[in-house]
């Protein structure tokens, strides 16, 4: 007879930020992996953004996140539930990043190598606040002309051991692998700081 008094192990919540510049694929990444219908706060781009929003290289973009994206992923084998918060990419919404940072254990900084200069504010944000992060270079159209090593060198990361991965933000498997890499990083950092 089963022991009904034994509680199922409870999954630990882990808050993860998905950050990066305007138009790098943050909303797409959250949508690709979330087990729930993700919360999206997208609004259509309008003429009011002309001269404010730089659409160079992303001319087909028609909407933008104005607050955040939210998704969830349960990793039963790891015993965690990931709560994914996608940050807004436009500079005028960056004031929200500090609020979203509260309670986060780590981040994925999504970069677009076609517009790599747009990556530096997100990288600086996490480096300055000491939040562990990995870099994920989005392979638009399934292509990436640079290696992870070349991207790492171009970003001039304070910690040259910061993981740099290549992924397609539309691919559930790629995103899952990136999240697992972030969890590996968080576990390794926790083991270094744990008292003996």
């Amino acid at each position: 007879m089963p022991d009904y008094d034994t509680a199922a192990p409870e999954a630990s919540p882990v808050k993860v930020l998905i950050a990066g510049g305007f138009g790098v694929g943050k909303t797409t990444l959250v949508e690709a992996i979330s087990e729930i219908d993700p919360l999206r706060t997208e609004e259509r781009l309008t003429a009011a953004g002309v001269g404010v929003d730089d659409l160079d290289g992303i001319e087909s973009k028609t909407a933008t996140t104005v607050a955040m994206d939210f998704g969830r992923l349960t990793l039963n084998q790891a015993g965690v539930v990931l709560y994914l918060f996608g940050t807004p990419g436009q500079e005028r919404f960056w004031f929200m990043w500090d609020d979203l940072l509260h309670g986060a254990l780590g981040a994925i900084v999504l970069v677009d190598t076609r517009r790599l200069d747009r990556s530096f504010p997100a990288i600086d944000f996490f480096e300055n606040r000491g939040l562990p992060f990995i870099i994920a270079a989005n392979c638009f159209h399934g292509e990436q002309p640079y290696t992870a090593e070349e991207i790492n060198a171009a970003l001039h990361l304070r910690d040259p051991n910061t993981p740099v991965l290549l992924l397609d933000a539309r691919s559930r498997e790629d995103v899952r692998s990136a999240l697992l890499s972030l969890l590996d990083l968080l576990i390794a950092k926790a083991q270094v700081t744990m008292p003996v």
Side-chain angles (χ1 to χ4, degrees):
M1 180 168 180
D3 183 1
Y4 293 108
D5 293 331
T6 304
E10 197 168 309
S12 298
V14 176
K15 181 178 180 181
V16 172
L17 298 184
I18 310 300
F22 179 51
V24 296
K26 298 175 299 291
T27 299
T28 301
L29 186 148
V30 172
E31 287 179 340
I33 196 70
S34 182
E35 66 194 14
I36 61 171
D37 286 336
L39 168 70
R40 295 172 37 177
T41 60
E42 287 205 323
E43 292 294 331
R44 294 193 59 73
L45 292 172
T46 65
V50 174
V52 176
D53 299 326
D54 183 0
L55 294 173
D56 266 359
I58 53 171
E59 291 82 6
S60 63
K61 186 167 179 62
T62 60
T64 188
T65 300
V66 296
M68 67 175 188
D69 297 310
F70 174 77
R72 184 186 74 207
L73 177 64
T74 303
L75 299 172
N76 290 321
Q77 291 179 324
V80 298
V81 176
L82 300 177
Y83 294 99
L84 309 172
F85 288 81
T87 63
Q90 292 166 285
E91 189 173 341
R92 65 180 177 268
F93 299 123
W94 287 353
F95 68 91
M96 300 180 67
W97 286 34
D98 277 313
D99 288 335
L100 291 172
L101 181 69
H102 290 291
L105 295 183
I108 293 176
V109 176
L110 198 58
V111 302
D112 178 353
T113 57
R114 301 170 304 178
R115 302 171 321 136
L116 201 58
D117 60 317
R118 316 265 169 85
S119 307
F120 293 112
I123 292 167
D124 290 344
F125 179 85
F126 294 113
E127 286 182 336
N128 292 335
R129 285 157 181 83
L131 189 75
F133 66 94
I134 66 169
I135 300 291
N138 199 355
C139 301
F140 288 91
H141 311 294
E143 298 174 3
Q144 182 54 256
Y146 305 102
T147 66
E149 294 77 17
E150 290 171 324
I151 295 167
N152 186 317
L155 291 174
H156 302 288
L157 300 166
R158 284 186 199 161
D159 180 356
N161 296 317
T162 299
V164 176
L165 310 170
L166 306 179
L167 65 72
D168 182 334
R170 302 167 298 177
S171 166
R172 182 175 179 82
E173 194 54 43
D174 283 5
V175 174
R176 185 176 187 280
S177 293
L179 288 166
L180 291 174
S181 292
L182 176 61
L183 287 177
D184 288 343
L185 175 69
L186 297 176
I187 291 167
K189 287 191 178 290
Q191 289 173 340
V192 168
T193 60
M194 289 177 67
V196 179

